[in-house]
Amino acid sequence: MNSKCTLILLFILLVSCQKNGEEEPNKTIKVSISTEKTEISELFSEFEFIHLKYDELIPSIFRVKEYNGDLFLLDGRKDRIFKLDENGDLDIFLQASGEGPEEYKSIGNFEFNHNSGELMVFDNVQRTLHNFTNEGQFSNSFLIKPGFAASYGNFFHGPKNEIILDIVGGKNHRFLKVFVDKNGYELFQLLDSAYHDLNYGNDRQIAQNKDGFSSIYSVESTIFQNTYDFIKTDSIDLDFGEFEILKSDLKNLSNNPNLFFELIQNDENKKAHSFGLLETENFYHVSFYLGSLMRGDFLNTLIHKDSKNSKTFKGIKIRGVELESIIIGQISDDRFILSLNIEYINNLTEEQKASISEYIPTDYLDDNPILLIGKVKAF
């Protein structure tokens, strides 16, 4: 058999294997660890600062969601949601905490129903999904039977009027799909992960995209891409080198919390863990701790989906002045939303404040939150 025939047969075999459902090896992305803060102009091609000044003090903003061009901001301490419209006007959109039948005890998370436009609020205390109209008026609620999980994390609205909740804690990491029209729900478990027998998690491990959703586990450095029917379509291994928790390490944990904390609370042999995930059209944002929760570094890695290039940074600098920040949301056109630590800024020297005053004027320093919205610079 000549070489040309051999190549043709190999090609046919490869196509046949793909058609029969055999998967290609996972893509791997090398993550270069950096614990430095990065100049803002090296991260973002465009950026703006927004001072969230209101009639009363806003303690802090924990999450931001975009819907129909407006930004909705969760004040988790006072359990209320603000709306920041396209004109920059800020007002309370929802404030219904209480003990009544049309109220919630706390807002664990929130999302929008893209069919009806209603705001969905998940109350982790009552294990209830509350729906509110686009004017903030109560519509209805849905109680989830106790016993499925310790708590629920991020959630989103699917294309068939179903709600998919990420379960945090419990025997296995799994998902709950709520069928809104049928007033029922069903559990799903992704079994292709080395992590699936462990119950360690956080509330920011899934991100919706146009084809389904992406997920990452707390101590397994792999991004899984899934359809709304929980079929894995792809996966990306993040290579943290010497800082990576190996799959063999995961198996040795045996769901033992003491072994788990011994593994992550180690600043002598630092490991990357406690992963969170955000996603835009062209980028992933992966957050994680390197080392212990108290003395380790909380880091950010931006990953370009096409080039598979990555960039890791601890925080931002403006004209050499270091600031503390955390990424709390994203906008589909590759913009990420950061919350700045206002207490840290207030404690800067007068010289440092003057250096950054073009971007953060002194009249912003009144203890209200400051947001930074930046469009990722190509890399």
Side-chain angles (χ1 to χ4, degrees):
M1 183 182 295
N2 62 37
S3 58
K4 184 180 290 186
C5 291
T6 302
L7 289 173
I8 292 172
L9 285 173
L10 286 172
F11 175 76
I12 292 172
L13 179 61
L14 175 62
V15 173
S16 174
C17 288
Q18 290 176 338
K19 287 182 178 179
N20 286 326
E22 294 186 16
E23 297 180 358
E24 298 176 10
N26 292 357
K27 301 180 182 69
T28 300
I29 294 176
K30 176 70 176 176
V31 178
S32 299
I33 296 296
S34 171
T35 57
E36 301 297 321
K37 294 184 178 178
T38 302
E39 190 67 35
I40 191 170
S41 58
E42 295 179 18
L43 288 174
F44 305 121
S45 58
E46 306 169 15
F47 54 89
E48 62 175 321
F49 293 89
I50 298 175
H51 180 217
L52 298 177
K53 192 170 181 62
Y54 193 65
D55 295 338
E56 58 179 283
L57 180 68
I58 303 173
S60 62
I61 298 296
F62 290 115
R63 299 180 192 272
V64 181
K65 301 286 179 74
E66 177 197 23
Y67 185 68
N68 282 351
D70 299 322
L71 295 181
F72 293 82
L73 311 96
L74 173 60
D75 174 4
R77 292 188 188 174
K78 294 192 174 182
D79 287 306
R80 57 188 179 176
I81 295 174
F82 285 85
K83 176 181 177 181
L84 181 67
D85 67 23
E86 294 178 287
N87 299 319
D89 295 325
L90 180 69
D91 206 352
I92 292 178
F93 179 77
L94 180 65
Q95 185 170 250
S97 59
E99 301 290 334
E102 298 184 0
E103 298 173 324
Y104 50 78
K105 288 189 176 180
S106 70
I107 302 178
N109 211 331
F110 71 99
E111 192 52 86
F112 284 90
N113 183 317
H114 294 281
N115 292 339
S116 66
E118 288 187 322
L119 174 69
M120 303 177 292
V121 167
F122 187 78
D123 183 341
N124 254 330
V125 176
Q126 297 179 326
R127 295 175 181 266
T128 302
L129 274 167
H130 300 281
N131 293 301
F132 296 86
T133 68
N134 52 19
E135 277 112 26
Q137 301 299 314
F138 176 82
S139 173
N140 56 72
S141 61
F142 182 90
L143 174 65
I144 295 175
K145 184 172 66 175
F148 277 130
S151 63
Y152 296 86
N154 205 359
F155 70 97
F156 53 84
H157 183 254
K160 299 176 183 178
N161 204 23
E162 74 271 89
I163 298 164
I164 297 172
L165 297 100
D166 181 31
I167 295 179
V168 178
K171 184 177 179 181
N172 291 334
H173 182 105
R174 56 195 185 269
F175 296 90
L176 185 72
K177 180 182 281 191
V178 177
F179 301 98
V180 178
D181 298 333
K182 299 177 183 178
N183 200 35
Y185 38 82
E186 184 177 350
L187 283 169
F188 289 85
Q189 171 69 51
L190 300 180
L191 296 177
D192 58 352
S193 166
Y195 182 85
H196 70 86
D197 284 327
L198 308 179
N199 62 9
Y200 316 110
N202 64 58
D203 66 347
R204 296 175 187 261
Q205 295 180 165
I206 62 172
Q208 190 175 17
N209 54 51
K210 62 181 181 179
D211 300 315
F213 69 99
S214 300
S215 58
I216 193 168
Y217 294 97
S218 224
V219 287
E220 183 181 13
S221 52
T222 302
I223 298 174
F224 295 98
Q225 297 169 334
N226 316 279
T227 69
Y228 290 106
D229 294 319
F230 301 94
I231 298 171
K232 190 187 80 170
T233 58
D234 205 352
S235 56
I236 301 170
D237 286 334
L238 305 180
D239 180 5
F240 287 89
E242 63 182 298
F243 303 107
E244 184 168 337
I245 296 177
L246 302 177
K247 286 182 172 55
S248 57
D249 296 328
L250 292 180
K251 292 177 181 178
N252 291 335
L253 290 180
S254 302
N255 231 359
N256 184 324
N258 294 326
L259 293 178
F260 171 72
F261 284 108
E262 184 179 315
L263 180 66
I264 68 171
Q265 293 287 93
N266 189 337
D267 288 318
E268 299 274 326
N269 184 20
K270 293 184 177 181
K271 297 297 182 182
H273 61 89
S274 302
F275 298 108
L277 184 66
L278 292 173
E279 183 174 358
T280 65
E281 183 177 354
N282 296 299
F283 290 90
Y284 292 112
H285 166 257
V286 178
S287 60
F288 60 96
Y289 278 95
L290 182 67
S292 66
L293 296 171
M294 293 296 293
R295 296 185 179 87
D297 293 300
F298 184 70
L299 303 179
N300 306 273
T301 293
L302 292 171
I303 300 169
H304 193 283
K305 291 181 181 179
D306 289 336
S307 70
K308 302 299 184 293
N309 291 331
S310 69
K311 179 179 289 188
T312 300
F313 60 99
K314 184 174 181 178
I316 61 169
K317 292 190 292 186
I318 301 176
R319 292 181 171 172
V321 178
E322 297 187 356
L323 302 179
E324 287 188 355
S325 63
I326 183 170
I327 296 180
I328 58 173
Q330 83 287 342
I331 303 174
S332 57
D333 63 349
D334 299 332
R335 285 183 289 166
F336 286 95
I337 304 167
L338 295 81
S339 175
L340 303 187
N341 185 330
I342 187 64
E343 183 178 354
Y344 184 91
I345 296 174
N346 280 329
N347 287 327
L348 294 174
T349 67
E350 294 304 315
E351 182 180 4
Q352 289 172 320
K353 291 177 183 177
S355 179
I356 65 173
S357 61
E358 178 184 346
Y359 303 100
I360 305 176
T362 53
D363 61 356
Y364 279 24
L365 308 183
D366 60 1
D367 295 331
N368 276 301
I370 298 175
L371 300 185
L372 163 61
I373 301 179
K375 186 176 181 66
V376 178
K377 191 173 185 178
F379 61 86

